[in-house]
Amino acid sequence: MSETLRPLSDAPSRQRALDPRESFIVQAPAGSGKTELLIQRILALLSRVERPEEILAITFTRKAAGEMRARLLQALEGARAPEPEQAHARTTWHLAAAALENDGRRGWDLLQNPARLGVQTIDGFCASLARRLPWVSRFGAHPAVTEDAWPLYRQAADKVLALVEARGAEGDAARLLLAHLDNRLELLRDLLVGMLARRDQWLRHLVGNAGEEERRNLEGALRSLVESVLADARKALPPGVRAELVSLGDYAGGNLAAEGAQSPVAALAGRRTFPEAAAQDLPAWQGVAELLLTKAGELRKGVTKAIGFPAGPGASAAMKGRMTALLDSLAGLPEVPGILSEVRILPAALYDESQWRVLQALVTLLPRAAAELWLVFRERGEADFIEVARRSSQALGEADRPTDLLLALDSRINHILVDEFQDTSWGQYGLLERLAAGWEAGDGRTLFLVGDPMQSIYRFREAEVGLYLRSRRRGLGFLPLAPLTLSANFRSQEGIVDWVNASFPSLFPAAEDEGRGAVPYAPSEPVRPPLSGEAVTVSLRCGRDDREEAAEVVNRVRQAQNEHPEGNCAVLVRSRSHLLEILPALRAAGLSYRAQEIDPLADRPAAQDLVALTRALLHPADRIAWLAVLRAPWCGLTLDDLHLLCGDSPDRAIPALLRDPERLARLSPEGQGRCRRLLGALEPALAGRGQQGLRALVEGAWLTLGGPACLEADGLEDARRLLALLEKLDCGGDLDPFESLAEGLAALFAAPDAGADGTLQVM
């Protein structure tokens, strides 16, 4: 019997989202069926457009793009089947049937020509734009897009560091910054690398501005940030609390000022009004924060002389009583400590001259750093996602000066849908603005943006959740976007949804803030009925004991498998370091698992030993590899014997030392036997290099050494996987060219177990 789902409370919003005449921005929390809604929207558009190419659907991952295209084709194919019973499925069926009717009328034949469905990743779309106008985008031959651009950033930063010896403004700026960082070149390099990784956020502000204009822009942005936080703080404090703080602050500040105490509270002395949300009142605000909060950022439990309330009878006792009563009243306002903690660390809204000189030096160097990075991209034939987005935007031109490409796209694309819009970066946001430049409500062109600001995860890609909040408030470009919110949760049973709704609001900000990317929690409504038993259990422990925790995880997994033998378990951890005991415990318990970028092959002893053996056989002069081979379980040379063998001969290759009888005679009898056995096993492999495949070479030597006997079952599987990877990297029995050895081995090191990113799935 199929599960009975509850009616959807957000059904009107879902129905309105299918209106192909309107533009929307939809907040779709986890489990709300956003992919299905996107499919339905595309189907609704396909039933009206003249060409399927009028619709562009943008996702952030290839997996999401592939899933969307597959589900679209599945829906179109399903429209040929009988109408389904479930209401939500019927909506998709009717929309797909209408799309198929338009398909047949116009002769698209989408089921046979799925490439006409415009579903792309944002990076793929940007790359296609840059390729179409290589002269304007300045890419020429399109570069490879790298997800790890940090080595390129460091190379560009090193070129900028060379300016320390140069004359002129850039040399002066480099020397000033270096002096500011205590002449530590590595700190300056790290600073430049970090800024290059975020250049889409600052480069547009620096180009074309100079001198005082730069200073006004930067100080204006700083003032806006300060006053935004102060406005939130003022709003968090009720009028009665503000009035009482004026009197109490004057009293406490006056006492501290009379004593000459260096306390922020002293700034409140003599004030007759509560500070406004203005940058010039920041010292008074920080006095309020100091008056109310402990050093740990919590509300004070009592008052002392240190904050201006000395002990004593009469007036002193009365003022202390009023302050205690005020603190008690604030205990019912949980947002106050958080916002006042932000106030505490706010910087002044104006730079003093020494600060401005340092900042001006950075502003002078950053455009040069961006230019050097561009040259590095050209030399290496690689670029990062930010550069691809920037160059694709250049290929489109500006709204008032469009290129032929933008004009062509404007006449072809009439509907744009964006999935996971909360993960849009500044560069990608600018691209969407150019694509929708000139679009207006009611002109037949629409935007449909879907995302969940509570799930913004791509900060490493410079995603800014504030852009989602801005678009919901102001629209995109000149096109207003009607906000819709989905609340139904199809994924989890009622007990889990209720627990999340009760637990998460306190973890999120109370109110949204575009500038700081603050997003409040939006509750979900369960569609699936509750299951028997507790939905969520919490086990608390005193102190940290990783081994005990790993044993508990194993017990919980076994219990879950016994209760649900057909299911899988997921183990979520805050960071990889928490898995150091859990993974061995799972393996020891015979529990198989899948993971990605959590338990890499490079961290396994069997793989490390085989990599050392590979390096030793391919390069007899690789001293570190040979030392690792001598220490591996198949040889096990002691540290004393290792030192006697090669400690005084840093320039001689270790195979030559192993062949030297006088050298071997220095070792212990056991050490001599181990070395003779090792050399006897490896001599045929060293002589046969290039005459057999790389895997056969390494595997044969490993078997001769007795490598399998040194491993347990999981180690044998690791060895098998690494040998299979060696087979893929084989080029004539070697890694060719020889200089690619490091890169080839890096590929081995990076090879993770397959599975979901950031999770451990126990089978």
Side-chain angles (χ1 to χ4, degrees):
M1 185 174 65
S2 61
E3 184 179 22
T4 301
L5 303 182
R6 296 175 176 176
L8 304 183
S9 59
D10 57 7
S13 294
R14 294 176 185 273
Q15 186 60 41
R16 186 184 174 191
L18 303 181
D19 187 344
R21 299 165 298 180
E22 281 194 82
S23 295
F24 299 100
I25 181 167
V26 183
Q27 181 169 348
S32 61
K34 68 176 179 62
T35 303
E36 181 69 13
L37 185 66
L38 280 162
I39 297 300
Q40 292 176 344
R41 173 80 180 188
I42 294 173
L43 292 172
L45 293 171
L46 285 172
S47 68
R48 298 169 60 96
V49 296
E50 296 181 5
R51 296 170 291 106
E53 290 81 5
E54 293 179 38
I55 305 168
L56 172 64
I58 295 175
T59 69
F60 275 82
T61 65
R62 287 187 290 271
K63 179 181 178 181
E67 180 187 0
M68 186 178 295
R69 186 179 289 107
R71 290 182 62 172
L72 271 171
L73 294 173
Q74 183 182 9
L76 291 171
E77 187 70 41
R80 297 174 173 176
E83 181 178 347
E85 295 181 4
Q86 199 173 37
H88 200 60
R90 282 202 305 272
T91 300
T92 302
W93 186 88
H94 284 293
L95 292 169
L100 271 186
E101 182 181 350
N102 197 30
D103 175 296
R105 187 166 55 250
R106 301 185 185 277
W108 300 338
D109 200 10
L110 287 177
L111 290 173
Q112 300 302 318
N113 299 285
R116 297 193 68 181
L117 293 171
V119 182
Q120 291 183 267
T121 65
I122 183 71
D123 297 315
F125 181 66
C126 290
S128 69
L129 295 180
R131 281 195 297 268
R132 291 176 68 175
L133 277 185
W135 176 256
V136 176
S137 69
R138 297 178 61 208
F139 266 142
H142 194 69
V145 181
T146 176
E147 294 193 22
D148 181 16
W150 290 94
L152 306 182
Y153 301 151
R154 284 192 290 270
Q155 187 175 342
D158 286 337
K159 292 186 176 185
V160 176
L161 292 182
L163 295 172
V164 170
E165 304 295 332
R167 296 181 178 179
E170 291 179 338
D172 293 340
R175 287 187 289 274
L176 177 60
L177 282 174
L178 190 59
H180 178 69
L181 297 172
D182 297 326
N183 289 318
R184 297 179 62 182
L185 277 171
E186 73 278 6
L187 289 183
L188 180 53
R189 184 187 69 173
D190 291 346
L191 171 64
L192 293 172
V193 166
M195 293 299 292
L196 286 173
R198 295 170 174 80
R199 66 192 184 283
D200 62 329
Q201 300 179 17
W202 51 259
L203 191 55
R204 65 189 185 279
H205 297 299
L206 299 188
V207 175
N209 296 328
E212 287 303 313
E213 186 176 0
E214 288 174 345
R215 186 168 185 171
R216 284 195 300 271
N217 289 340
L218 292 170
E219 289 182 340
L222 190 56
R223 184 182 302 107
S224 296
L225 172 63
V226 168
E227 293 182 348
S228 171
V229 176
L230 296 183
D232 288 345
R234 188 177 173 88
K235 190 184 303 182
L237 295 172
V241 170
R242 296 201 299 262
E244 182 70 346
L245 279 171
V246 172
S247 176
L248 293 171
D250 179 30
Y251 172 80
N255 288 333
L256 292 171
E259 296 174 1
Q262 299 298 312
S263 170
V265 178
L268 299 176
R271 289 194 66 94
R272 295 295 178 262
T273 60
F274 193 77
E276 298 293 333
Q280 61 268 25
D281 279 349
L282 179 59
W285 272 105
Q286 291 176 331
V288 170
E290 184 69 18
L291 185 66
L292 297 178
L293 301 183
T294 65
K295 289 183 179 180
E298 300 173 349
L299 278 177
R300 295 186 182 277
K301 297 293 191 290
V303 292
T304 64
K305 181 180 178 181
I307 59 168
F309 290 88
S316 296
M319 295 302 285
K320 288 184 71 172
R322 288 172 60 186
M323 184 65 190
T324 301
L326 178 70
L327 291 170
D328 290 342
S329 69
L330 290 175
L333 301 173
E335 70 277 9
V336 168
I339 190 64
L340 289 182
S341 293
E342 284 192 60
V343 169
R344 257 183 170 171
I345 61 174
L346 285 175
L350 297 176
Y351 301 109
D352 61 36
E353 289 307 313
S354 62
Q355 291 174 326
W356 176 245
R357 282 195 298 272
V358 172
L359 188 57
Q360 180 63 42
L362 185 60
V363 168
T364 300
L365 283 188
L366 285 178
R368 175 64 180 264
E372 293 289 359
L373 181 60
W374 168 244
L375 294 177
V376 170
F377 287 156
R378 293 286 298 271
E379 292 168 3
R380 297 285 296 271
E382 294 180 287
D384 62 359
F385 294 101
I386 296 174
E387 197 65 29
V388 172
R390 288 187 65 236
R391 300 301 170 177
S392 60
S393 292
Q394 289 181 358
L396 295 179
E398 301 294 337
D400 55 347
R401 288 177 295 169
T403 63
D404 291 341
L405 176 58
L406 179 55
L407 293 173
L409 290 174
D410 191 56
S411 63
R412 192 191 75 174
I413 298 176
N414 291 322
H415 304 280
I416 299 176
L417 302 91
V418 183
D419 189 15
E420 305 291 2
F421 183 68
Q422 80 279 354
D423 291 323
T424 304
S425 69
W426 277 101
Q428 295 159 349
Y429 184 83
L431 175 68
L432 290 173
E433 281 190 314
R434 284 174 169 81
L435 289 173
W439 291 20
E440 298 178 355
D443 66 0
R445 297 176 291 188
T446 65
L447 276 176
F448 191 76
L449 312 179
V450 181
D452 180 12
M454 295 187 294
Q455 297 186 75
S456 184
I457 61 172
Y458 283 105
R459 291 302 295 237
F460 68 93
R461 287 277 304 275
E462 315 317 322
E464 288 290 343
V465 70
L467 295 175
Y468 177 97
L469 302 177
R470 167 187 290 193
S471 300
R472 195 168 64 187
R473 287 180 177 178
R474 313 178 197 174
L476 194 146
F478 295 102
L479 189 64
L481 301 171
L484 298 175
T485 299
L486 305 184
S487 58
N489 185 302
F490 295 89
R491 184 176 300 164
S492 302
Q493 55 116 330
E494 181 178 345
I496 292 178
V497 175
D498 289 346
W499 183 87
V500 171
N501 285 340
S503 304
F504 276 44
S506 61
L507 305 178
F508 283 76
E512 72 178 38
D513 186 285
E514 177 185 320
R516 303 198 302 277
V519 180
Y521 177 73
S524 298
E525 299 180 15
V527 174
R528 301 184 182 280
L531 299 177
S532 60
E534 290 187 84
V536 178
T537 58
V538 178
S539 176
L540 301 178
R541 297 180 180 275
C542 182
R544 176 170 175 174
D545 187 332
D546 290 354
R547 186 164 297 180
E548 182 184 354
E549 180 183 75
E552 179 66 18
V553 168
V554 170
N555 291 335
R556 293 289 185 95
V557 168
R558 282 177 168 161
Q559 179 183 348
Q561 289 182 334
N562 291 335
E563 295 175 358
H564 306 281
E566 74 288 350
N568 295 329
C569 300
V571 179
L572 307 180
V573 293
R574 179 183 291 273
S575 65
R576 299 179 191 180
S577 63
H578 292 123
L579 289 169
L580 294 178
E581 293 290 343
I582 294 176
L583 295 181
L586 290 172
R587 288 195 290 267
L591 295 169
S592 60
Y593 58 84
R594 299 171 58 202
Q596 182 170 337
E597 298 180 1
I598 284 180
D599 191 20
L601 191 58
D603 292 344
R604 315 280 185 86
Q608 291 173 338
D609 290 340
L610 271 172
V611 167
L613 180 60
T614 303
R615 291 170 54 186
L617 293 176
L618 293 181
H619 196 336
D622 190 334
R623 192 176 183 86
I624 293 177
W626 275 94
L627 291 173
V629 168
L630 289 168
R631 289 287 292 163
W634 52 62
C635 180
L637 198 63
T638 66
L639 291 175
D640 289 340
D641 281 338
L642 198 64
H643 180 70
L644 292 172
L645 176 68
C646 57
D648 60 351
S649 301
D651 298 327
R652 292 185 65 186
I654 288 181
L657 295 174
L658 290 171
R659 298 185 184 104
D660 185 344
E662 295 182 4
R663 180 70 56 164
L664 285 183
R666 299 180 179 184
L667 309 185
S668 67
E670 184 180 2
Q672 294 179 37
R674 290 175 182 269
C675 287
R676 289 192 181 98
R677 177 181 172 277
L678 176 79
L679 189 61
L682 296 187
E683 285 283 25
L686 290 169
R689 180 187 162 198
Q691 302 174 22
Q692 56 185 318
L694 182 60
R695 173 173 180 164
L697 177 78
V698 176
E699 189 170 15
W702 180 61
L703 292 172
T704 304
L705 287 169
C710 302
L711 301 175
E712 297 180 356
D714 58 343
L716 289 172
E717 176 60 21
D718 295 338
R720 183 197 64 77
R721 291 178 56 225
L722 192 138
L723 290 169
L725 285 169
L726 278 179
E727 192 170 13
K728 291 181 181 179
L729 293 173
D730 188 4
C731 185
D734 202 343
L735 293 165
D736 188 29
F738 185 74
E739 287 73 19
S740 70
L741 175 60
E743 295 180 5
L745 292 177
L748 296 181
F749 278 146
D753 292 332
D757 185 18
T759 65
L760 185 70
Q761 186 180 21
V762 185
M763 312 302 291

